[in-house]
Amino acid sequence: MDALFHISMLGMLAGLLWAAVAIVRRTRQRRSAWESGVTAQARVVRAWATTQVVNNAARRVQWHEYDFTTPDGGAVRFKEAGGPRERAVGDAVRVHYAPHEPDRATAAEPRPGKDMAAAVVWLAVIAGCAIFLVHEWVELSRY
C-alpha cells in the first residue's frame, strides 16, 4: 500500500510539473509570435465551443481553427482556444507568428503584459499546490 501512495504522489507532482511546462511553453510561443512582427491574413475555417464542468460549474471554451499562407507559399492551419465568441467561420483575422514556427501562430491581440501576468499567477497556484502536496506527502509518510 505504501508503494501505491508514493507512486500516486509522484504522479500528481508530475502532472503539476507538466502543467507548469505547458504554461511556460505557450507563453513563450505567443511572445515570440508577437515580438517577431510577422503577420498574415488568416481565415477562420472552423469554430466550436466545448464545455468543461468543474465543481458543478460549467465553463464554456471557444475554439477556432485558422488557415493562412506564409510569404513563401506554405499553407498553415492551427487551432487556438479562447477567441471571441462572435468570430465565425469565414471571418478574416490577422495572425501573428514567428517565421521559424508558423504552426505556433496566434490570433490573439498582442498583450504581452497581461499574458505574462496570467502565466505568473497560474505558476504561483501550481507552485502552491506542489508545496502543499509535498508537505502532505512528508506528513503522511511519517505514519
Side-chain angles (χ1 to χ4, degrees):
M1 202 58 143
D2 257 0
L4 182 61
F5 170 72
H6 294 296
I7 290 170
S8 65
M9 288 298 201
L10 283 173
M12 286 188 277
L13 281 173
L16 289 172
L17 179 63
W18 175 83
V21 168
I23 288 169
V24 169
R25 184 182 334 119
R26 185 57 184 154
T27 301
R28 290 183 65 176
Q29 288 169 350
R30 288 166 61 112
R31 180 172 285 263
S32 174
W34 289 330
E35 288 178 351
S36 74
V38 180
T39 62
Q41 200 64 14
R43 178 175 58 90
V44 178
V45 178
R46 210 171 107 196
W48 70 98
T50 57
T51 304
Q52 298 172 337
V53 178
V54 179
N55 295 332
N56 293 330
R59 179 176 170 250
R60 184 175 189 266
V61 179
Q62 185 69 41
W63 286 84
H64 294 96
E65 188 170 358
Y66 302 97
D67 194 15
F68 70 96
T69 305
T70 60
D72 62 355
V76 179
R77 184 172 282 196
F78 71 97
K79 296 176 189 171
E80 187 173 45
R85 293 180 183 183
E86 323 61 72
R87 194 170 286 166
V89 174
D91 286 355
V93 296
R94 177 165 307 280
V95 296
H96 303 265
Y97 68 96
H100 61 281
E101 51 184 6
D103 57 322
R104 303 287 186 217
T106 181
E109 289 300 317
R111 292 182 293 215
K114 183 179 178 182
D115 203 43
M116 185 60 74
V120 167
V121 167
W122 278 112
L123 289 173
V125 168
I126 289 171
C129 290
I131 290 168
F132 175 76
L133 189 65
V134 169
H135 175 267
E136 290 302 309
W137 189 1
V138 169
E139 287 298 315
L140 291 174
S141 293
R142 292 182 182 170
Y143 300 110

